[in-house]
């Protein structure tokens, strides 16, 4: 199976596939109503003058089958950059073929190559298959930490303070 998997950095022509993966992930997470991403926005933020994230495409038998979208964060305690995995998604018909594990392993190798102190991500608390998968790869759940987020009108209000 591994010989049938190819990982590569996304290119601008991959934007429609990236949007498809994002929409597939949102559907799986029952969050489709929250997706406002468009091909134009993805092109600008992933391949424009200022790139905010990177994408690795997983191909299976020459077909785009999954992706990992990530960006760098920073650990003040370690005084090192880290990699934050925003999204990892494999199309349903390609699951169980090693693509998710290959993507996660690729990001771990990239973190080491870039002298990062850690690789982190979040997972929804109800997504037991993903939790089991991540723990099988050696991930530790940080139960003492809670994610905080400010968006939309609250973000605008906070900025005006």
């Amino acid at each position: 199976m591994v010989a049938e998997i190819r990982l590569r950095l996304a290119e601008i022509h991959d934007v429609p596939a990236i949007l498809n993966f994002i929409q597939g992930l949102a559907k799986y997470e029952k969050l489709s109503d929250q997706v406002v991403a468009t091909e134009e926005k993805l092109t600008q933020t992933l391949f424009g003058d200022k790139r905010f994230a990177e994408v690795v495409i997983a191909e299976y038998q020459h077909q785009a089958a999954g992706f990992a979208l990530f960006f760098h964060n920073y650990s003040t305690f370690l005084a090192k950059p880290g990699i934050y995995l925003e999204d990892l998604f494999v199309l349903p018909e390609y699951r169980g073929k090693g693509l998710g594990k290959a993507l996660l392993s690729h990001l771990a190798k990239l973190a080491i190559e870039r002298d990062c102190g850690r690789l982190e991500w979040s997972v929804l608390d109800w997504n037991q298959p993903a939790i089991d998968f991540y723990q099988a790869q050696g991930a530790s759940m940080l139960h003492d930490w809670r994610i905080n987020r400010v968006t939309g009108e609250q973000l605008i209000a906070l900025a005006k303070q």
Side-chain angles (χ1 to χ4, degrees), residues 100-115:
K101 186 175 184 176
L103 283 164
L104 209 53
S105 176
H106 180 78
L107 290 183
K109 290 173 191 165
L110 194 60
I112 291 168
E113 288 171 12
R114 295 181 181 186
D115 194 29

Side-chain angles (χ1 to χ4, degrees), residues 6 32 35 50 58 76 78 102 116 146 153:
R6 178 177 171 243
S32 293
V35 177
K50 189 169 184 183
T76 55
L78 299 175
C116 294
R146 298 292 181 261
E153 293 300 318

Side-chain angles (χ1 to χ4, degrees), residues 11-119:
E11 299 175 7
I12 198 163
H13 66 83
D14 293 308
V15 167
I18 294 167
L19 181 57
N20 183 56
F21 293 139
I22 292 168
Q23 291 168 335
L25 175 62
K27 182 178 178 183
Y28 176 78
E29 293 180 340
K30 301 170 183 66
L31 298 171
S32 293
D33 61 317
Q34 295 183 28
V35 177
V36 296
T38 64
E39 289 183 18
E40 181 181 3
K41 288 179 182 179
L42 290 170
T43 299
Q44 180 183 9
T45 56
L46 297 176
F47 300 99
D49 291 337
K50 189 169 184 183
R51 298 178 180 198
F52 292 94
E54 298 175 66
V55 176
V56 176
I57 300 288
E59 294 178 342
Y60 186 80
Q61 296 179 339
H62 308 289
Q63 298 296 316
F67 85 132
L69 187 146
F70 66 97
F71 53 88
H72 285 278
N73 57 13
Y74 190 82
S75 168
T76 55
F77 286 16
L78 299 175
K80 284 187 165 197
I83 289 181
Y84 187 83
L85 172 60
E86 177 67 22
D87 289 328
L88 186 145
F89 180 74
V90 175
L91 293 170
E93 61 268 30
Y94 296 103
R95 292 184 188 149
K97 300 183 183 310
L99 292 160
K101 186 175 184 176
L103 283 164
L104 209 53
S105 176
H106 180 78
L107 290 183
K109 290 173 191 165
L110 194 60
I112 291 168
E113 288 171 12
R114 295 181 181 186
D115 194 29
C116 294
R118 58 188 177 202
L119 169 60

